[in-house]
Amino acid sequence: MDLLRLDRAALAFGTQVLLDDVELTLRRGERLGLLGRNGAGKTTLLKVLAGDIDLDSGERWVRPGIRMARLEQTLPDGDDATVYATVAGGLDDVGELIARYHAILGSGEDMDMQELSNVQQKLEAADGWRLQQRVETVLSQLQLPADVTLGSLSGGWRRRVALARALVGEPDILLLDEPTNHLDIPSIEWLETQLAQYGGAIVLITHDRRFLQRVAGRIAELDRGHLTLWEGTYRGFLDHQAHQAEIEERANALFDKKLAEEEKWIRQGIKARRTRNEGRVRALEKLRGERSERRERTGTASFSIEDGARSGKIVAELQHVSHGYGDKTLLRDFSTIIQRGDRIGIVGPNGAGKSTLVKIILGELAPDSGEVILGTKLEIAYSDQLRGKLDPEKNLIDNICEGQDFIEVNGKRRHAISYLGDFLFSPERIRTPVKALSGGEQNRAIMARLFTRPANLLVLDEPTNDLDIETLELLEEILLEFKGTVLLVSHDRDFMDNVVTSLMIVRGDGTVEEQAGSYSDWEARGGRLVERADTGRATLSESVAPPAAAPANSIPPTPKKSGGKRLSYKEKRELEQLPERIEMLESRHDALAAMTSAADFYQQPKDTIEAALAELNDVQQSLDAALERWTELDERA
């Protein structure tokens, strides 16, 4: 059943065409993933679907009685409204009555019985008790603290509140703009499960490729005003997209070749002009018009990180570090060593202490106990430090280039417009105040500022938020080519799979688990993030945020292998060195075995024979001991 239709929809802002005769039909149960470059108009299209923006021409049709909800890209304001009132607000007028009823009940001895009676009567008349139960259910599923104000919540928790508000009304059409931003991995997995069971139509914009693959069954790409639809998953669309780009490139090449030939003909000498075919001239003018109207694909972002001087081999060493806030312990007796060239992903539920761990590693925060030893020659670039340094009232040149026309990058003097053009900013956008830029553009601006400085230690805190997928993939390539050390805090599972070589899993109970390999490698071994069970009052501090919601299909964490206490720092180093020692002993053992098996071995002097046999015996014993020790340490790792 059709729920919503766009027929020949057209919309432009100035000279920028966002929608050009777009045709789109949404049906019940459909899950549409909307793709496109930053600035292509994806959020604008969601607003058109919601009826918040009128079309220049064309028609928008919505089936009568259809309920619609939209999750905006921006976070709800951190004001004095309670979580309960905000979520209930998703039910419009009845929601206000439900929120008022809840507030009166919470007033205790000061309860106004007359007002309570009036509200109860209105709720009964509006089927409010059933809707109130829906509010309570959503709050319970997301484990949201009902009476906490939004101003006391972190960004991740305000995102959950916005999700709850969108879901509580059980809309027929759900419009989601970057729903995974600020959510931790358990919350993303919970949302995947909820959307899989959702009966209405969904249109979602997301940079999270794994989330998109698991949720969307149909893909739409908005490119230069045109909407291309693909029936199938995101992975299938990638193959389709590559094929279409090849066809377009080939067609454009043939067109340009023909145009060049006609331009050459028209410029021939006087004889050719006297005898030229007027029909051919008119055809050439038509070709010129078609070429001028061709919308070129937006260029690919092109940027790189300037490698700083080579750091020392040891970047940072933590010895028996403990830290917490109040009665909450985030790190307990944690020891590790970070070496030059490591690419470490730091994961964990919201509030577990990921940012706290990063600040301790960087020396920005002193631990309660233990010691942090920083390596030598460190040049640190920390993306989180720059988020608050973009002045929303200033344009990009003032923010990134400090108002100067030229900037030095990678030892070269470059014009500001050229440098910012590498980040896909047109000259017009460069002069635009930061507050008028989209979320993805602001994130690219942060990267533009970050990459103006040399670094050998790059610390990225949620760098993928609001980036389009093509820019995100380019960032992956840059990080893989980066010669320094990378610390990455992210909830984007595919991004971590493509970038990191090891993980630090911050549990939130004081333990930090270290694992080799990518996030998917860890998952394949049975690893899983399970959220904290405490329900304390949330604050802006990550360390005391409310608990995240456990996904409906959550699995208890895999029990640690028995075998004694955790490895000490010395034992970890021993475990790392044992494979090389075992390989050396095996090689020597094979050489001695071959020598003693030779036909003429026992024809040598007696002392030589006895020495060789004794060495073979010693090597065999050392090899057996090394293998046994490696097995013991590996089981405890």
Side-chain angles (χ1 to χ4, degrees):
M1 181 176 67
D2 293 355
L3 302 181
L4 184 149
R5 268 197 318 267
L6 293 182
D7 182 23
R8 300 182 63 83
L11 180 66
F13 292 156
T15 59
Q16 184 180 11
V17 178
L18 297 179
L19 304 177
D20 188 358
D21 286 346
V22 165
E23 303 279 344
L24 177 64
T25 300
L26 284 179
R27 301 176 179 87
R28 185 174 299 280
E30 188 171 43
R31 292 164 176 79
L32 179 68
L34 181 57
L35 306 182
R37 290 285 187 86
N38 290 141
K42 301 187 297 296
T43 298
T44 300
L45 178 55
L46 280 195
K47 292 179 179 179
V48 168
L49 295 176
D52 295 336
I53 293 180
D54 294 331
L55 295 168
D56 294 338
S57 63
E59 181 183 358
R60 169 184 175 270
W61 173 86
V62 180
R63 180 173 293 278
I66 290 299
R67 299 185 306 276
M68 194 178 306
R70 179 162 66 94
L71 175 70
E72 297 186 18
Q73 188 173 355
T74 56
L75 291 172
D77 293 333
D79 52 25
D80 293 333
T82 66
V83 169
Y84 194 100
T86 303
V87 173
L91 298 172
D92 300 325
D93 294 340
V94 179
E96 293 182 12
L97 289 174
I98 294 171
R100 183 58 191 152
Y101 177 76
H102 180 81
I104 295 172
L105 289 180
S107 61
E109 296 179 356
D110 298 329
M111 186 184 307
D112 187 332
M113 299 304 296
Q114 181 60 46
E115 185 178 6
L116 180 64
S117 176
N118 292 336
V119 172
Q120 285 177 328
Q121 292 177 9
K122 293 178 181 178
L123 284 174
E124 289 172 359
D127 192 22
W129 301 122
R130 182 180 63 84
L131 297 177
Q132 183 205 25
Q133 184 59 41
R134 192 185 298 170
V135 174
E136 302 285 351
T137 299
V138 171
L139 289 172
S140 175
Q141 288 175 333
L142 282 169
Q143 292 189 358
L144 291 170
D147 298 314
V148 170
T149 63
L150 292 185
S152 65
L153 292 174
S154 65
W157 285 99
R158 277 188 279 152
R159 192 66 171 175
R160 283 176 179 243
V161 173
L163 269 172
R165 181 184 175 98
L167 294 172
V168 73
E170 295 183 348
D172 301 289
I173 299 176
L174 187 57
L175 308 175
L176 304 174
D177 196 347
E178 294 290 359
T180 63
N181 277 3
H182 308 286
L183 293 184
D184 55 16
I185 292 174
S187 299
I188 294 172
E189 292 174 342
W190 175 88
L191 183 59
E192 287 173 351
T193 303
Q194 295 301 306
L195 295 183
Q197 300 169 354
Y198 184 71
I202 299 172
V203 181
L204 67 97
I205 300 170
T206 182
H207 67 272
D208 190 321
R209 291 159 291 183
R210 187 178 300 192
F211 181 81
L212 182 64
Q213 173 69 15
R214 291 183 175 180
V215 173
R218 188 184 185 203
I219 301 296
E221 183 185 33
L222 186 60
D223 180 27
R224 296 162 288 173
H226 297 296
L227 194 69
T228 303
L229 295 170
W230 166 258
E231 297 291 341
T233 63
Y234 171 65
R235 302 298 180 197
F237 172 75
L238 291 180
D239 296 334
H240 167 74
Q241 185 185 45
H243 180 63
Q244 289 298 112
E246 183 180 343
I247 292 174
E248 181 179 348
E249 184 177 350
R250 190 160 54 241
N252 286 343
L254 291 173
F255 181 94
D256 292 342
K257 180 180 179 181
K258 181 178 180 180
L259 177 59
E261 290 173 350
E262 295 300 293
E263 292 285 3
K264 181 180 179 181
W265 169 79
I266 199 69
R267 288 179 174 81
Q268 288 178 356
I270 186 67
K271 181 179 178 181
R273 287 198 297 272
R274 284 176 184 163
T275 60
R276 68 190 178 192
N277 186 308
E278 291 301 326
R280 191 172 178 181
V281 173
R282 288 192 295 272
L284 172 59
E285 292 174 349
K286 183 179 179 182
L287 287 176
R288 288 171 174 171
E290 290 178 10
R291 180 62 183 85
S292 66
E293 293 175 0
R294 183 197 299 173
R295 295 194 184 99
E296 299 292 353
R297 285 187 174 274
T298 307
T300 302
S302 172
F303 47 86
S304 61
I305 306 170
E306 181 178 356
D307 290 332
R310 190 176 170 90
S311 70
K313 183 176 181 181
I314 304 300
V315 172
E317 183 177 350
L318 277 63
Q319 298 179 356
H320 306 290
V321 166
S322 296
H323 193 77
Y325 295 96
D327 58 351
K328 296 182 183 296
T329 300
L330 299 179
L331 302 175
R332 182 184 296 109
D333 195 28
F334 177 54
S335 298
T336 191
I337 185 167
I338 299 172
Q339 301 188 57
R340 182 179 62 235
D342 284 349
R343 293 198 298 273
I344 301 173
I346 301 176
V347 299
N350 284 340
K354 301 183 296 296
S355 296
T356 298
L357 175 59
V358 168
K359 290 176 181 178
I360 288 176
I361 292 173
L362 298 181
E364 293 185 357
L365 180 65
D368 294 341
S369 63
E371 185 178 7
V372 178
I373 304 171
L374 292 178
T376 58
K377 301 179 181 178
L378 289 182
E379 297 180 66
I380 302 171
Y382 186 11
S383 65
D384 188 65
Q385 293 174 328
L386 301 177
R387 293 183 186 271
K389 293 186 178 180
L390 291 179
D391 189 331
E393 302 299 330
K394 294 181 178 179
N395 61 33
L396 290 177
I397 288 184
D398 290 336
N399 268 293
I400 297 169
C401 308
E402 298 180 351
Q404 301 180 17
D405 290 334
F406 290 88
I407 186 171
E408 186 168 323
V409 181
N410 289 333
K412 297 179 181 179
R413 194 164 179 262
R414 298 191 56 188
H415 198 280
I417 293 179
S418 172
Y419 175 68
L420 292 171
D422 290 347
F423 293 82
L424 300 183
F425 289 113
S426 65
E428 295 78 16
R429 298 299 279 174
I430 287 170
R431 303 292 181 183
T432 302
V434 166
K435 65 182 181 181
L437 301 178
S438 69
E441 288 174 320
Q442 290 185 24
N443 214 1
R444 291 208 309 268
I446 291 169
M447 286 194 293
R449 181 162 180 168
L450 181 71
F451 296 163
T452 58
R453 59 197 69 188
N456 52 36
L457 173 56
L458 190 61
V459 184
L460 301 175
D461 195 344
E462 292 297 347
T464 66
N465 281 354
D466 302 318
L467 289 183
D468 60 57
I469 291 176
E470 290 187 44
T471 306
L472 189 152
E473 290 173 345
L474 176 64
L475 179 59
E476 289 175 348
E477 294 177 11
I478 290 170
L479 293 179
L480 290 175
E481 294 172 359
F482 181 57
K483 298 298 189 295
T485 306
V486 177
L487 298 181
L488 171 66
V489 179
S490 180
H491 298 136
D492 190 321
R493 296 155 290 180
D494 276 12
F495 187 77
M496 283 190 294
D497 280 351
N498 296 335
V499 172
V500 307
T501 56
S502 64
L503 294 177
M504 289 184 183
I505 301 100
V506 185
R507 294 291 186 182
D509 59 359
T511 61
V512 179
E513 178 184 343
E514 295 185 88
Q515 291 282 337
S518 67
Y519 184 84
S520 290
D521 293 334
W522 174 63
E523 270 190 321
R525 294 193 294 267
R528 188 171 183 86
L529 291 174
V530 177
E531 299 185 314
R532 301 160 60 191
D534 53 290
T535 55
R537 175 182 172 84
T539 70
L540 290 173
S541 169
E542 179 192 59
S543 61
V544 290
N553 60 345
S554 62
I555 303 171
T558 302
K560 284 186 174 292
K561 298 176 184 177
S562 60
K565 62 181 181 180
R566 293 180 51 134
L567 296 182
S568 66
Y569 170 71
K570 184 177 179 181
E571 289 173 326
K572 289 180 183 178
R573 300 296 295 164
E574 181 184 0
L575 179 59
E576 293 173 356
Q577 295 167 359
L578 272 172
E580 183 178 353
R581 173 170 169 74
I582 291 171
E583 184 178 356
M584 181 188 69
L585 288 170
E586 287 177 335
S587 178
R588 182 57 181 162
H589 181 274
D590 292 344
L592 288 168
M595 183 174 67
T596 57
S597 299
D600 59 348
F601 174 73
Y602 290 97
Q603 297 176 8
Q604 302 178 84
K606 181 180 179 181
D607 292 341
T608 303
I609 295 172
E610 290 178 350
L613 292 174
E615 183 181 3
L616 177 61
N617 183 61
D618 291 341
V619 170
Q620 181 64 60
Q621 291 182 3
S622 298
L623 179 58
D624 291 341
L627 288 169
E628 184 177 350
R629 180 62 171 165
W630 180 85
T631 302
E632 176 193 348
L633 294 177
D634 184 62
E635 287 180 347
R636 290 168 51 197

